[in-house]
Amino acid sequence: MSKFACSLSIGLALCVGLPALAQDEEADNVTAAYEENGRYFTEDDIPTFNVAEDGTVDWLTFSGFRRYHAECHVCHGPDGEGSSYAPALKNSAVDMDYYDFVDVVVNGRQNVNASSNQVMPSFGDNPNVMCYLDDIYVYLKAHGTGAIGRGRPAQKEAKSDTIQEDENACMGS
């Protein structure tokens, strides 16, 4: 099963057990090394974004903006900038290992102690998050690196047939 298929499937918990890729500190987790059916990946096969010189973003980045604001923004604030309720996420996709990011979204996280009371619920059973997890990840990565600014991207690539087929399969259409 491909990494993308894992992140797109509602049965993602089966894939979360994959070990995180060992990355040296110099590994580039941002630059797109190749494109496959409208999706961009780093040399380590990690989903990433693509922004053309004219500001056109890849479909997943655009979709990620929409999905983030539908599902994540209520706690983590507009554009992943954070809120008084939950921390900023805009740098999480840049600083955090992809598989750790997936694990937190799927399983949730609790950081409760004398100075902190942060609880991230599990979204592993929510197809509105799980079917678009890579989209949300690449959007946050694009914003966290400054490749795109705040707000809805003005221009986007067309959604590929493969992305549409994967979305339909994941959502049960």
Side-chain angles (χ1 to χ4, degrees):
M1 180 180 285
S2 74
K3 291 174 187 127
F4 181 78
C6 288
S7 65
L8 208 73
S9 70
I10 294 174
L12 182 63
L14 299 173
C15 300
V16 171
L18 294 172
L21 294 176
Q23 295 183 5
D24 62 28
E25 294 187 33
E26 300 300 317
D28 180 356
N29 74 342
V30 175
T31 304
Y34 67 97
E35 180 266 342
E36 186 175 294
N37 297 314
R39 294 182 191 93
Y40 294 84
F41 298 91
T42 66
E43 287 182 7
D44 292 334
D45 304 320
I46 302 298
T48 196
F49 60 90
N50 185 59
V51 180
E53 287 184 31
D54 69 355
T56 300
V57 300
D58 61 284
W59 177 261
L60 263 58
T61 298
F62 177 77
S63 174
F65 168 83
R66 292 177 27 209
R67 295 301 173 164
Y68 173 86
H69 286 86
E71 299 293 332
C72 312
H73 151 187
V74 75
C75 293
H76 292 282
D79 300 304
E81 298 284 336
S83 70
S84 60
Y85 185 71
L89 292 180
K90 71 177 191 173
N91 295 324
S92 295
V94 178
D95 298 335
M96 183 183 258
D97 176 80
Y98 171 72
Y99 299 104
D100 291 339
F101 181 89
V102 169
D103 182 54
V104 169
V105 174
V106 171
N107 297 308
R109 174 188 281 178
Q110 291 189 23
N111 183 10
V112 178
N113 57 47
S115 64
S116 179
N117 186 15
Q118 296 178 333
V119 178
M120 163 85 176
S122 164
F123 285 91
D125 292 332
N126 183 339
N128 292 314
V129 174
M130 298 316 302
C131 292
Y132 303 97
L133 186 56
D134 284 351
D135 306 35
I136 294 167
Y137 177 79
V138 299
Y139 160 70
L140 289 169
K141 187 185 279 193
H143 183 52
T145 61
I148 62 171
R150 295 188 72 172
R152 181 180 176 169
Q155 302 172 86
K156 63 186 179 303
E157 292 178 355
K159 183 190 290 189
S160 73
D161 291 341
T162 301
I163 291 172
Q164 183 64 60
E165 290 166 10
D166 290 343
E167 179 180 320
N168 290 346
C170 187
M171 293 299 286
S173 303

